[in-house]
Amino acid sequence: QKEVEQDPGPLSVPEGAIVSLNCTYSNSAFQYFMWYRQYSRKGPELLMYTYSSGNKEDGRFTAQVDKSSKYISLFIRDSQPSDSATYLCAGGGGSGTASKLTFGTGTRLQVTL
Amino acid sequence: DTEVTQTPKHLVMGMTNKKSLKCEQHMGHRAMYWYKQKAKKPPELMFVYSYEKLSINESVPSRFSPECPNSSLLNLHLHALQPEDSALYLCASSPQGEGRINYGYTFGSGTRLTVV
């Protein structure tokens, strides 16, 4: 079983839609969770990070962590064509996982006009 | 300066060549990382440097040799690579040293390596 599982997509939505991206993880030691956006042929760009369970909002983006079910979500409101990219979730932290982020496979998102 | 700069952006090398990838950051970050990313796959950790010392080596073959000359620079020396080593090589840095990744990584744009 992979430590972080993510549906690879592709996920296609119309402009203005609310997008929900999800991951599950298996390592109970994870304390920190991140969402990265990666455009084609570019390095990943940090979008959101959260610590433990709860919600965090930043503009059109909301990250949600439920440690009891080991479930991570990213919501994008009013999606734009410029949001078309691959979204990677990642977890890390805790004993034995020092300085190491484990990534999901990424979900490819296409926002159409 | 909030960037991680990687050079070169593209590299084509033969299996008998020796080359180096370079990474530089001036954010005062004390942890630096090398990741390898194949097409449509997530980044895979190769090495972690914490306070200029190698702290994690993810069982990477010896044909990849990392070096951290100072707190701002990270190199990856390549020798006798195989075609399957062709990938995007990503450098990243984070503010804290070992055990503290809660502010995430800043990635560079990567070096796209092709081994022929």
Side-chain angles (χ1 to χ4, degrees), chain B residues 3-61:
Chain B
E3 287 187 343
V4 174
T5 304
Q6 287 188 247
T7 56
K9 292 195 185 308
H10 302 275
L11 178 63
V12 179
M13 62 184 289
M15 289 188 284
T16 59
N17 290 160
K18 285 184 181 180
K19 296 286 185 183
S20 296
L21 308 184
K22 296 187 185 302
C23 174
E24 191 168 359
Q25 59 89 12
H26 295 288
M27 295 178 281
H29 289 179
R30 302 315 301 268
M32 296 185 76
Y33 312 81
W34 281 114
Y35 275 81
K36 173 183 177 179
Q37 187 176 26
K38 303 279 271 185
K40 299 188 179 182
K41 297 288 186 184
E44 293 180 0
L45 182 66
M46 299 175 72
F47 302 104
V48 179
Y49 272 83
S50 176
Y51 294 93
E52 298 155 54
K53 288 185 171 26
L54 183 65
S55 63
I56 296 177
N57 176 342
E58 291 286 282
S59 303
V60 179

Side-chain angles (χ1 to χ4, degrees), chain B residues 50-108:
Chain B
S50 176
Y51 294 93
E52 298 155 54
K53 288 185 171 26
L54 183 65
S55 63
I56 296 177
N57 176 342
E58 291 286 282
S59 303
V60 179
S62 60
R63 57 186 185 269
F64 296 91
S65 176
E67 179 196 18
C68 189
N70 60 55
S71 59
S72 301
L73 293 173
L74 187 66
N75 298 322
L76 185 63
H77 303 298
L78 314 172
H79 174 54
L81 295 193
Q82 303 297 310
E84 58 264 30
D85 295 322
S86 299
L88 181 68
Y89 287 84
L90 293 161
C91 174
S93 68
S94 65
Q96 290 88 0
E98 185 163 0
R100 299 178 177 180
I101 61 168
N102 49 313
Y103 293 106
Y105 298 173
T106 300
F107 280 93

Side-chain angles (χ1 to χ4, degrees), chain A residues 32 34 36 38 41-46 49 51 88 91-94 97-106 108, chain B residues 10 31 33 35 37 40-43 45 48 56 58 88 90 97-109 112:
Chain A
Y32 305 105
M34 325 267 173
Y36 284 85
Q38 187 172 24
R41 298 184 171 268
K42 296 288 187 183
E45 169 194 1
L46 180 64
Y49 68 89
Y51 171 73
L88 297 153
T97 59
S99 291
K100 179 179 174 179
L101 276 182
T102 301
F103 288 86
T105 51
R108 192 155 59 90
Chain B
H10 302 275
Y33 312 81
Y35 275 81
Q37 187 176 26
K40 299 188 179 182
K41 297 288 186 184
L45 182 66
V48 179
I56 296 177
E58 291 286 282
L88 181 68
L90 293 161
E98 185 163 0
R100 299 178 177 180
I101 61 168
N102 49 313
Y103 293 106
Y105 298 173
T106 300
F107 280 93
S109 292
R112 189 158 297 280

Side-chain angles (χ1 to χ4, degrees), chain A residues 49-99:
Chain A
Y49 68 89
T50 53
Y51 171 73
S52 196
S53 285
N55 291 1
K56 184 172 182 178
E57 190 173 319
D58 185 0
R60 296 186 295 113
F61 299 92
T62 299
Q64 200 170 72
V65 175
D66 182 348
K67 289 195 78 179
S68 63
S69 58
K70 297 190 176 67
Y71 201 79
I72 315 164
S73 298
L74 179 71
F75 299 96
I76 307 174
R77 291 181 296 281
D78 187 24
S79 55
Q80 303 295 311
S82 58
D83 294 329
S84 299
T86 296
Y87 290 79
L88 297 153
C89 62
S95 175
T97 59
S99 291

Side-chain angles (χ1 to χ4, degrees), chain A residues 26-38:
Chain A
S26 58
N27 191 332
S28 299
F30 284 172
Q31 297 179 27
Y32 305 105
F33 305 92
M34 325 267 173
W35 283 96
Y36 284 85
R37 177 174 63 195
Q38 187 172 24

